[in-house]
Structure formats: structure tokens, C-alpha cells
Amino acid sequence: MNKKSELLFAVLILMCSFLPCAADIDPILVDKPYPTVFECSPDMFIEVPGIAYISYNLGDRAAEKYFLYFKAEVLYLEEGIWDGIDKSSFLLKHTTSEGSVTQYALNYMMTARESLINEWPTMSDPLFFGWLLPLNLVFDVPKMEKDGWSLIFRPAERGGNAVCEIEIPIEVH
């Protein structure tokens, strides 16, 4: 091969080595519509990338009845700093087939425990511009019902008021 061909071949090999990296980019960070990413305000997004689970226990902790838990990621794009995200920012809603609605508060202790186990920041850590906060949200629920769940996301700074509110359907296995 001549020098030009060798150089072109080397450049192509180098360019191809970067292509797999693009597949690992989190959808919440890419400017495309994704079915798992929801915009609550121009500065606050949430992604619920997988399915939720209902279990009698989580790790070595037993639920009073059941835990319903799932992963979520909050993307914060505001210029200012938030002093953490308030636990009231997450509410679980269950709607029965008859239309009856019940809401469940976040189990803050179990959510914080899951963040610490995963070596993730907790909800009490400050949010800065461009911060992507991973969370395993945990709720106490009274029954092992798999249909009719949704997450109400109404982000608020700790001790503050919600800046927006959206409802996100949750798939439970």
C-alpha cells in the first residue's frame, strides 16, 4: 500500500472505533424523542428506562406489605443550584379498572438506601446544571397489582414548591 492508502485506512479504523461509544449514550442526554424520556419543564427531564417490580422485600429489608420499585433518572438543566430534590417530588398513583385512584408517597428511607448501595448521589445532594441524578424509587404498596400504575413527577427543591407536574405510565412485572 502507498502512504495515502495507509493513512486513509488508519483514519477509517480510528473512526470506526468511536462508533460503539454512541450506542452507550443515555437517551435522556440526546436531543431526540424517546418513549421513556419525559419533559416536565425546559430545565427538568425524567427518564424511566425500564420496568417496575413488586416484591415482598428489597435486599435484606422486608416490606410492610410490598415494595414497588424502579429506576429513574432526573436531568437538571437550570442555571442555578438546587439544594437537593424534595421527597414530595415523586408520588405513585394507582388507578383500578373501576376508576378508583389511590396515591402512595415515596419511601424516602428505602430510596436513599438504594442510592447509597449503588454509590449514587442521594436526593439530598445538590443539583447543578447538567446533573443527571439516578434513583431507584421505592414505594410501599398494599397489594401485588400489576396494572394501572403511574408516577407523578412534580420536582421541587428541598422544602420548596413544585416547578411542574407530569404523569408517567409505569409498566410493572
Side-chain angles (χ1 to χ4, degrees):
M1 279 201 251
N2 63 28
K3 290 283 184 186
K4 280 187 178 180
S5 297
E6 289 175 6
L7 181 61
L8 181 60
F9 182 72
V11 168
L12 286 173
I13 294 292
L14 185 61
M15 288 177 62
C16 290
S17 68
F18 290 111
L19 290 178
C21 296
D24 294 335
I25 295 174
D26 195 317
I28 200 168
L29 299 174
V30 180
D31 186 20
K32 290 183 182 177
Y34 282 91
T36 60
V37 177
F38 298 86
E39 180 179 350
C40 191
S41 76
D43 298 323
M44 193 71 69
F45 294 81
I46 186 168
E47 178 183 11
V48 180
I51 55 176
Y53 299 92
I54 297 179
S55 175
Y56 296 108
N57 56 34
L58 188 56
D60 61 349
R61 302 290 171 120
E64 188 174 311
K65 294 201 177 182
Y66 301 98
F67 289 128
L68 189 148
Y69 58 96
F70 54 92
K71 183 179 181 189
E73 293 180 336
V74 175
L75 178 61
Y76 177 76
L77 296 175
E78 193 172 300
E79 291 294 330
I81 299 171
W82 267 24
D83 182 30
I85 190 164
D86 197 83
K87 63 183 178 182
S88 67
S89 299
F90 304 97
L91 193 64
L92 188 67
K93 177 180 168 185
H94 183 251
T95 307
T96 65
S97 56
E98 294 83 34
S100 175
V101 174
T102 309
Q103 296 182 342
Y104 303 94
L106 181 72
N107 182 324
Y108 181 74
M109 188 275 300
M110 286 300 292
T111 297
R113 183 178 184 276
E114 286 295 301
S115 292
L116 293 169
I117 286 171
N118 286 298
E119 298 181 3
W120 294 343
T122 65
M123 291 171 46
S124 62
D125 290 328
L127 299 177
F128 300 93
F129 174 78
W131 190 255
L132 185 63
L133 176 65
L135 297 165
N136 278 332
L137 300 175
V138 182
F139 299 87
D140 295 304
V141 296
K143 56 187 172 182
M144 195 176 274
E145 176 70 38
K146 296 194 178 196
D147 296 322
W149 297 101
S150 60
L151 173 69
I152 298 175
F153 178 56
R154 49 182 187 201
E157 186 173 4
R158 286 177 53 198
N161 295 320
V163 297
C164 55
E165 183 176 309
I166 57 173
E167 188 171 335
I168 303 161
I170 301 297
E171 180 183 347
V172 178
H173 280 292

